[in-house]
Amino acid sequence: MRAIQPTASGQLHLDGFQIGYECFGDPARPAVLLPPTWQIVDSRIWKMQVPFLARHFRVVTFDPPGNGLGERTTDPAAFEYERIARQGLGVLDHLGIARASVVAFSRGCTYGVWLAATQPERVERLVLIASVMTPHAWGKTPDGCFERRETCEGWQKENVHYWLEHYSDWLVFFFSQIFPEPHSTKGIDDGIGWGLGTNAEILAASVSRPELWPAMSAGEAVASVSCPVLLLHGSADPRYPVEASRALAAARPDWEFVTLEGSGHVPICRDPVRVNLLIHAFLTASAAQAERQ
Amino acid sequence: MRAIEPTDSGLLDLDGFQVGYEVFGSPASPALLLLSTWQIVHSRIWKMQVPFLARHFQVVTFDPPGNGLGERTTDPAAFTYERTVRQAVGVLDHLGIQRSTVAGFSRGCDFAILLTATEPERVERLILIGNGVSRSGWQPQPDAGFWDRRATYAGWEKRNAHYFLEHYDDWLAFFFSQIFPEPHSTKLIEDASGWARETTPEILVSTVPNPELLPRLPAAEAIEHIRCPVLLLHGDDDRCDPIGASYDLATTGPDWELVVLEGCGHGALARHPVQVNREIARFLDLPNPQRRTWTRAMARPRRALFISSPIGLGHVQRDLAIARELRGLVPDLQIDWLAQPPVTGVLERAGETIHPLSSQLASESTHWEASAGEHRLHCFHAFREMDEILLANFMVFLDVVRETPYDLWIGDEAWEVDYYLHENPELKTAPYIFMTDFLGWLPIDDDPNSREAFLTADYNTEMIEHIERFPSVRDRALYFGEYDDLVPGTFGPGLPDIRDWAREHVEAVGYVVPFDPADYVDTGTIRERLGYEPEQPLVVAAVGGTAVGRHLLDKIASAWPLIRRERPDARCVVVAGPRIDPASIPTQPGLEVRPYIHNLYEHLAVADLGIVQGGLGTTMELAVNRRPFLYFPLRDHCEQVFHVAHRLDHYRAGQRLDYDTTTPESLAAAAITTLSSDTSSYRQHEAGAARRAATLIAEVLQR
C-alpha cells in the first residue's frame, strides 16, 4: 500500500509522447512539482516526500516516456531534457497551475534549472537534491559506455552492452553504489524494482549525452535563475559527488547549500526526515526573507 | 549590568519635545524598531528581547517624553499617540532607516498600528504583544471615572488620578501584580516598579488617555490600512488588555497570525521570553546561514557540549578533570565547550575546543564584579539581577544546540540552561546533566520576615516545583560533595529539608579536585620543581579569578611587614589573578606579586600558609592537601558565608576570619599562629570524585 493515494491522475499526450501524472493533496494549496529523474527509476522515487508534502502543498509528479506511467519507447528524442521539462510545464498547464515550486533530484535538477531559467514566472522556488549538473555542464556521459568490453568491473558496468546482457546485475550494482550507507537494503530493492519497470534498450537510449542536453549552456541557465534556490547534496555520494553542488553554490553565493554529511546519492529515500524538513522550511520561508537575501 | 550595551544612543528634539533612543547590533542588519509603551515603564521593558534580537537585527528602542531617556513633562500634548508615532518615525529618519519591522507592546501596539497605517511604506512587518486595540477602538479608552475622587479604591478602581497621586507605591504594587500574575514573578515586578519610579504620578496622570491623546483616525480604519504581515502574541490570562482584542484583530485577514500564550499574563515578553523570542524569530524568518551541514545520525561522532560557569575559576578546573575521566570512559567522545572569559583562557591552555558561538555570550564575570563592593558581594542579589544576561546566554545556547545535535549536554552550574529548560521543557533535545556544588539560596538577612528571606525561599520553591513537575529535564543531577557537606536546615519556611531533598533528587559524587592528592604528599620534590626553597616558610595569597578580591590583597600587603618582623625568613607569593593589575600592589621585601599562576593548586599544596577568599575551589584545594589556611568569606555572599563555611567546618579545615573586623595587626597575628600549624585533624578527603562523576555521566551516554 502507498501511504496516500493520488487525488487525480491521468495520461497526456505531450510533445509527441505519452506521459502519466499524479496529483496529491488539496488543489487549493500552493503547488510543488516533483519532476522525474533518469528513467532507471520512476516517480515513485519521491515516495518518502509525497505523503508529507501533500499535507502542506498540492504535489504533482509525472513520468515522461521510459518508465512508470510514461510510454515505453527507444526513440532517443523522447529523452531530451528540454522535452521532459516542457512536458512538466504541460502537466502544470493541464492542471491549471500557473506557478509552482520545483523540487528536483539527480538528473531532474537539470529539468528544474532549465525551467527556472527559461520560465521564471512559473517557478516559485527551486530545490536541487544531489544535482548531476554543474555550472559548466548539464551532465556527464559515462566513460566508454558505448564501447564493447571483454569484462566490466565496477563502474565499467555503466555500459550499454553490459546492460543488454546483464541488466539485473547492472541494477544491483548501480543501486548498491548509490546507497553507500549501511542498512540500505530496502532502498536498493526499491531501486532495482523500479529499474525493472523499464529495460536495457530504453536505458541505453536515455544515457546522458550532449544530444539530449538543452541548447542553452548550463552556465547561462544557472546564471539566469532568479528564484530562491536550495541545494542539498550528500558528502558520501559516490557517483555524482558533492563537488557538483559545491560548484553551483560557488557560482551562486545567494543559493542556500546544505551538505548532508555521510549521505549517499539518494538522501530523499535514505535520510527522508531531514530532507523533508529542509524542503518544507525552504518552501515556506516567507517573502520577507527572500527580500533580505 | 545589561547583557549588551547600545552601539549608538542619543537625545533628539522631535516635535517639540526631547526623546532618547538607543541602537543595538549591526547597522548592516535589517532594522527592527521596538516601540515605547505607556510611560509607567520605559524602553528597558524590552530587556529580554534586545540582546537576542540584536544578534540578527539593528534594534532601535526609544523613549518619548515621560520616562526613560525622554524628557519629563506633565504637558498632555507630549503624550498624544500621533506625536509619539511621529517621534518614532523621527528617530528612524535620524538613523537613516527607511524601512523596518515594528514591534509594540501594550500601548505600544496602538503606536505600532497607527504607524503602520499612516506610514505603510516604512513598515516591513508588524509584531503586536499584549495588544489592546480592536475595531471598536484604541486602548485604553478614556474613562471618566479616572478623575473621580472615591472613598475607597478596590481593584482596578485604583487606576485613578487621585490614587496615583496619593498612593503611588500601592498603585504600582497592584498594577504590576496584575501585569505579572504568574507565580515567581518577583524580579519582573521589581524591575517594572523601579522603572515606574523613574517617572512621577503627576506625569503618569497626564498620560492617561483622554480624547485629546487618542488618534483622530478611528482604530477600525487604521486596521483596514495595514497590508504587511502581522504577528499577534497574547497571553490568555492578560488582566490588563484581555486577549479578546487580539482575537478580533486576528480575523482581519490571512496575514494576521495569532499565537495564544496559554497561562500567560500581560507581561509575557518578560515572563516567557524564550517562547516570545522564538516566535519573533520564526515570524521574522531569521535567515539561516547560506552554507550549512547536516550529518546523518549514524555518521556523527559522539559529541558532548560542556557548559562551564564563568563565576570564579574553580569550576573549570573540576570540569576539565571530569572531561579527562569522561574521555577515558568514552574514548571517541568529542567535547565542545560553551564558556566565556576567564574560563575560556584556561580551556585554551588545556587545548580544549571552544564553540565559536561562545563569543556571543554576555559577560557574567563583569556583572559580578560590577555588583561587588569592598570584599562584599551579595551573590543572591547579583544572581537575580543577572536575569537579562542569563536569558541572553540561554538564547545563544539554543542556537548552539539547534546547529549541532549533541549527544549530551553537561552544565556545571549552568543556571540559565537549567532554569529555562524547566520553563520550556519542550526545548530539551538531548540528555542533560546538571551539576552543582551548592544547593539552596539562603538569606544573609537573619530576619525571617525580610524581603530577602521571602525571595530566596521563592527561588528555592520554584526550583523544587520545576523538578517535581518536569523530572525528565535533568537526566542526572550531581552534587560535588557528600550529603553531609550540604548545609543543615530547610530551603525556607514550610519547604523541605535540604539534605533530605538532596538524597532524593541529586547524586552526591564527592568533591572534585583537579589533581590526585597522593601526588602532593612529597612537598620537597614539588617545591624544588616550582622553584621554592625546601625549608623557607611560604605564604601563598590568592583571591580567585575576579577583581572582587582586590581589597583583601591590600589588607594582606599591609599585614606583611608585621609577619616578616616575626618570621624574617618567610616568603609571600601574591596571585593577583587575571582581572587585577599586579602593578597596583606594591612589592616589598619577601613579597612578590604574580599576575597569574598556572595550576595554582600546586603552589597552594606546598604552602605553609594560604590566605584566601572564601570561595569553594581554592579553600577545598587547601583542605584536601591538608594545608594550614586563613579564609575570608565575602560579606553577604551566601554561598561563601553559609555553604562553603559549613563544608570547611565539616572538613575541620581552615580558619575563618571576618574581613571587616580584621586589621593588618590581627591578620598578622593569625598568620603567624597558623603558619605551619598542625593539620592532622583535617577530615580525609575521599579521592576519585571526578571519576565517579564521569562514570555517572558516561552511563547516560551509554544506556
Side-chain angles (χ1 to χ4, degrees), chain A residues 240-278:
Chain A
Y240 307 98
V242 67
E243 280 69 27
S245 290
R246 217 170 270 156
L248 289 168
R252 291 296 302 260
D254 56 324
W255 292 5
E256 267 183 70
F257 176 28
V258 178
T259 306
L260 304 171
E261 189 72 31
S263 299
H265 184 57
V266 202
I268 57 173
C269 294
R270 194 62 183 82
D271 296 300
V273 173
R274 178 53 54 184
V275 168
N276 287 350
L277 294 175
L278 286 166

Side-chain angles (χ1 to χ4, degrees), chain A residues 181 249 252-263 270-271 274 278 286 288-289 291-292, chain B residues 30 57 99 101 124-125 283-297 299-300:
Chain A
E181 303 93 335
R252 291 296 302 260
D254 56 324
W255 292 5
E256 267 183 70
F257 176 28
V258 178
T259 306
L260 304 171
E261 189 72 31
S263 299
R270 194 62 183 82
D271 296 300
R274 178 53 54 184
L278 286 166
S286 76
Q289 182 177 343
E291 274 170 35
R292 278 207 296 276
Chain B
F57 291 91
R99 199 170 160 84
T101 288
E124 179 88 33
R125 307 195 133 216
F283 176 67
L284 298 180
D285 287 319
L286 288 190
N288 283 312
Q290 289 292 93
R291 305 288 175 255
R292 320 197 283 287
T293 297
W294 173 80
T295 305
R296 62 189 308 270
R300 287 175 202 168

Side-chain angles (χ1 to χ4, degrees), chain B residues 14-272:
Chain B
L14 288 177
D15 227 348
F17 295 91
Q18 196 170 43
V19 309
Y21 68 89
E22 293 190 319
V23 185
F24 305 83
S26 162
S29 303
L32 173 57
L33 172 65
L34 305 179
L35 282 167
S36 61
T37 181
W38 184 23
Q39 279 78 355
I40 195 166
V41 296
H42 54 65
S43 52
R44 287 281 285 151
I45 190 75
W46 293 106
K47 68 180 209 172
M48 297 306 230
Q49 279 67 51
V50 167
F52 167 68
L53 293 171
R55 289 199 281 123
H56 307 282
F57 291 91
Q58 180 189 17
V59 177
V60 180
T61 62
F62 100 107
D63 284 311
N67 204 342
L69 304 171
E71 74 166 272
R72 299 298 186 268
T73 170
T74 53
D75 179 354
F79 308 115
T80 71
Y81 289 18
E82 283 159 1
R83 174 167 275 115
T84 305
V85 166
R86 283 197 301 272
Q87 287 165 335
V89 172
V91 169
L92 294 181
D93 288 342
H94 172 74
L95 296 170
I97 296 169
Q98 182 48 39
R99 199 170 160 84
S100 107
T101 288
V102 173
F105 163 62
S106 193
R107 186 182 294 190
C109 295
D110 297 62
F111 306 149
I113 288 170
L114 186 60
L115 197 164
T116 311
T118 53
E119 309 265 353
E121 71 291 347
R122 304 297 293 264
V123 181
E124 179 88 33
R125 307 195 133 216
L126 182 57
I127 299 166
L128 303 174
I129 306 172
N131 158 68
V133 182
S134 68
R135 283 183 185 71
S136 46
W138 302 102
Q139 187 68 22
Q141 284 294 311
D143 166 17
F146 180 76
W147 303 99
D148 294 344
R149 188 176 281 285
R150 294 171 186 274
T152 58
Y153 299 87
W156 281 99
E157 287 170 2
K158 294 179 178 178
R159 196 168 165 280
N160 178 289
H162 304 284
Y163 202 80
F164 282 14
L165 295 169
E166 289 157 28
H167 306 281
Y168 193 52
D169 284 353
D170 189 65
W171 154 246
L172 296 181
F174 167 76
F175 180 68
F176 290 119
S177 71
Q178 297 298 306
I179 299 295
F180 298 109
E182 297 93 335
H184 313 299
S185 297
T186 60
K187 178 61 167 64
L188 310 174
I189 293 171
E190 277 175 29
D191 276 353
S193 307
W195 298 326
R197 289 193 184 92
E198 293 178 40
T199 185
T200 65
E202 289 77 12
I203 291 174
L204 221 54
V205 165
S206 303
T207 63
V208 166
N210 57 63
E212 273 80 75
L213 294 195
L214 294 179
R216 278 157 298 175
L217 182 67
E221 224 172 285
I223 292 160
E224 291 307 314
H225 287 153
I226 292 175
R227 291 284 171 270
C228 68
V230 183
L231 171 66
L232 293 152
L233 292 169
H234 213 133
D236 75 344
D237 190 20
D238 191 324
R239 300 173 188 187
C240 180
D241 286 311
I243 191 171
S246 287
Y247 282 134
D248 178 56
L249 289 193
T251 63
T252 309
D255 263 358
W256 291 65
E257 218 184 300
L258 168 63
V259 177
V260 177
L261 303 168
E262 212 162 76
C264 303
H266 189 60
L269 80 174
R271 188 63 181 81
H272 306 284

Side-chain angles (χ1 to χ4, degrees), chain A residues 176-194:
Chain A
S176 309
Q177 291 295 311
I178 66 171
F179 284 97
E181 303 93 335
H183 317 298
S184 295
T185 60
K186 183 61 168 70
I188 294 169
D189 286 355
D190 277 352
I192 294 167
W194 297 324

Side-chain angles (χ1 to χ4, degrees), chain B residues 615-678:
Chain B
L616 181 65
T618 311
T619 53
M620 280 300 288
E621 283 166 13
L622 288 157
V624 167
N625 280 326
R626 302 175 160 273
R627 310 316 300 169
F629 67 98
L630 308 174
Y631 69 100
F632 294 82
L634 286 176
R635 293 268 315 224
D636 296 343
H637 194 295
C638 71
E639 193 201 351
Q640 296 195 4
V641 169
F642 298 121
H643 296 268
V644 178
H646 168 77
R647 191 193 295 247
L648 292 173
D649 287 349
H650 186 226
Y651 271 86
R652 298 182 291 274
Q655 188 186 344
R656 178 162 62 249
L657 294 176
D658 174 57
Y659 173 83
D660 283 358
T661 54
T662 298
T663 60
E665 292 73 23
S666 63
L667 173 55
I672 290 158
T673 320
T674 313
L675 187 78
S676 304
S677 59
D678 178 24

